[in-house]
């Protein structure tokens, strides 16, 4: 058992899942992209909220460099902190059914993928098995056990999203929505942890070709999901192997997301992280 204040090693894998099943085929460099982007955003947003990053190299074994971080152990809050700036995904389905998302009334007449008047906070539970469940602020505050702390989480989540969305848009990428995870450190200070603003925890769309009224291509595993949905697989475990061309296309999308958002070649992150074969 670890105590608060101790150091942990957080490693991102190259594994990928669709329909709640992990495919046997990894996506090369996926873990390094997620880690590199998290580090980029941790550094960019530390003036908004503290984060758990200690080092990208010290305490990180050589074989895990580039995809692992030394981080502070936190007491994690039991809610997923989702911020939506556009109406899409499960939020679009909820809006079509009720005109609301997580109990928040939205303007009538919105189209799929349309930008919301302002970002909204739509928390969910952290399910040990099955799917996370969308909840409202009151239920989130009940789970956290501190309404004031939960309001701080809301404010910080929206500020993080707004900052990142502005940066991404200036670099040709739309941040449609994202998920944060927060914890408390040994001083009960709010800290953002896990991965942050990556293609796995966020929905990124290219600005080029964006059009309201339809779904958008995204810089994440949607490429694999689209292949899987048309492959004839019955969506039950075990998941099938992914063809080489789909693996290659998916890796390219992850790397492109890194390079657009950070404004540097992916190789620059590998070099900074001390990846031996970079």
């Amino acid at each position: 058992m670890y105590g608060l204040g101790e150091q942990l090693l957080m490693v991102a894998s190259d594994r990928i899942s669709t329909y709640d099943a992990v495919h046997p085929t990894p996506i090369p460099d996926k873990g390094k992209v997620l880690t590199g982007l998290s580090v980029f955003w941790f550094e960019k947003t530390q003036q908004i909220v503290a984060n758990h990053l200690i080092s990208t190299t010290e305490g990180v074994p050589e074989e895990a460099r580039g995809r692992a971080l030394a981080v502070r152990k936190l007491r994690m809050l039991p809610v997923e902190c989702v911020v939506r700036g556009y109406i899409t995904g499960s939020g679009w389905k909820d809006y079509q059914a009720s005109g609301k998302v997580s109990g928040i009334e939205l303007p009538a007449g919105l189209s799929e993928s349309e930008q919301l008047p302002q970002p909204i906070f739509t928390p969910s539970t952290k399910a040990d098995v099955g799917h996370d469940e969308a909840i409202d602020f009151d239920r989130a505050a009940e789970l956290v056990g501190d309404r004031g702390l939960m309001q701080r989480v809301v404010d910080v989540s929206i500020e993080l999203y707004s900052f990142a969305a502005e940066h991404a848009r200036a670099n040709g990428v739309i941040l449609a929505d994202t998920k944060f995870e927060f914890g408390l450190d040994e001083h009960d200070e709010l800290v953002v942890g896990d991965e942050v603003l990556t293609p796995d925890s966020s929905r990124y769309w290219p600005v080029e070709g964006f059009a309201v009224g339809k779904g958008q291509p995204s810089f994440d595993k949607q490429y694999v999901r689209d292949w899987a949905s048309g492959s004839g697989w019955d969506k039950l475990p075990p998941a099938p192997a992914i063809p080489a061309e789909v693996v290659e296309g998916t890796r390219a999308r992850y790397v492109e997301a890194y390079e657009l958002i950070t404004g540097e070649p992916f190789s620059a992150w590998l070099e900074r992280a001390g990846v031996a074969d970079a």
Side-chain angles (χ1 to χ4, degrees), residues 32 60-67:
K32 294 183 176 75
V60 178
E62 189 171 330
E63 63 270 21
R65 294 279 175 89
R67 64 187 183 92

Side-chain angles (χ1 to χ4, degrees), residues 69-96:
L69 302 174
V71 301
R72 292 189 284 158
K73 183 172 174 63
L74 305 173
R75 188 167 71 252
M76 301 305 292
L77 302 182
V79 292
E80 303 276 7
C81 302
V82 180
V83 182
R84 303 175 188 272
Y86 292 74
I87 188 72
T88 187
S90 62
W92 169 239
K93 292 178 183 176
D94 292 345
Y95 173 76
Q96 287 180 295

Side-chain angles (χ1 to χ4, degrees), residues 170-184:
N171 287 272
V173 182
I174 294 169
L175 176 57
D177 52 46
T178 193
K179 176 193 74 175
F180 300 109
E181 296 204 35
F182 293 94
L184 300 175

Side-chain angles (χ1 to χ4, degrees), residues 9-262:
L9 185 69
M10 187 177 76
V11 183
S13 85
D14 292 338
R15 293 181 302 171
I16 197 163
S17 65
T18 59
Y19 305 104
D20 296 324
V22 179
H23 293 270
T25 320
I27 305 298
D29 292 326
K30 174 176 175 280
K32 294 183 176 75
V33 167
L34 301 183
T35 303
L37 263 178
S38 290
V39 169
F40 172 82
W41 287 118
F42 283 142
E43 293 173 348
K44 282 278 188 184
T45 61
Q46 56 189 335
Q47 80 283 0
I48 297 174
V49 65
N51 60 70
H52 70 165
L53 177 61
I54 295 173
S55 178
T56 61
T57 54
E58 295 298 318
V60 178
E62 189 171 330
E63 63 270 21
R65 294 279 175 89
R67 64 187 183 92
L69 302 174
V71 301
R72 292 189 284 158
K73 183 172 174 63
L74 305 173
R75 188 167 71 252
M76 301 305 292
L77 302 182
V79 292
E80 303 276 7
C81 302
V82 180
V83 182
R84 303 175 188 272
Y86 292 74
I87 188 72
T88 187
S90 62
W92 169 239
K93 292 178 183 176
D94 292 345
Y95 173 76
Q96 287 180 295
S98 67
K100 301 178 181 179
V101 179
S102 292
I104 300 171
E105 190 88 36
L106 296 178
L110 293 176
S111 299
E112 184 178 7
S113 302
E114 187 169 349
Q115 186 172 12
L116 299 172
Q118 60 273 325
I120 59 172
F121 182 83
T122 60
S124 67
T125 59
K126 288 185 179 181
D128 292 329
V129 293
H131 296 282
D132 297 339
E133 176 190 351
I135 54 178
D136 60 16
F137 173 85
D138 289 338
R139 177 59 179 150
E142 183 181 322
L143 288 171
V144 168
D146 184 329
R147 196 174 184 87
L149 173 59
M150 194 62 226
Q151 186 58 57
R152 162 91 169 129
V153 167
V154 173
D155 295 343
V156 167
S157 296
I158 290 177
E159 188 173 357
L160 285 170
Y161 169 83
S162 300
F163 176 89
E166 182 178 354
H167 173 93
R169 187 73 188 230
N171 287 272
V173 182
I174 294 169
L175 176 57
D177 52 46
T178 193
K179 176 193 74 175
F180 300 109
E181 296 204 35
F182 293 94
L184 300 175
D185 66 10
E186 65 270 31
H187 307 296
D188 284 335
E189 180 184 8
L190 186 67
V191 179
V192 65
D194 197 30
E195 61 182 313
V196 64
L197 295 160
T198 72
D200 274 19
S201 65
S202 315
R203 204 184 312 255
Y204 283 111
W205 298 331
V207 169
E208 185 177 355
F210 171 75
V212 170
K214 62 178 185 177
Q216 312 296 317
S218 55
F219 292 105
D220 61 8
K221 63 184 177 184
Q222 188 62 47
Y223 195 62
V224 175
R225 194 180 292 113
D226 290 345
W227 164 78
S229 66
S231 68
W233 173 42
D234 61 7
K235 314 298 192 298
L236 297 174
I242 305 171
E245 64 272 16
V246 177
V247 170
E248 183 179 341
T250 303
R251 179 192 178 277
R253 281 160 174 76
Y254 275 91
V255 171
E256 184 181 8
Y258 179 92
E259 295 185 339
L260 284 172
I261 291 165
T262 65

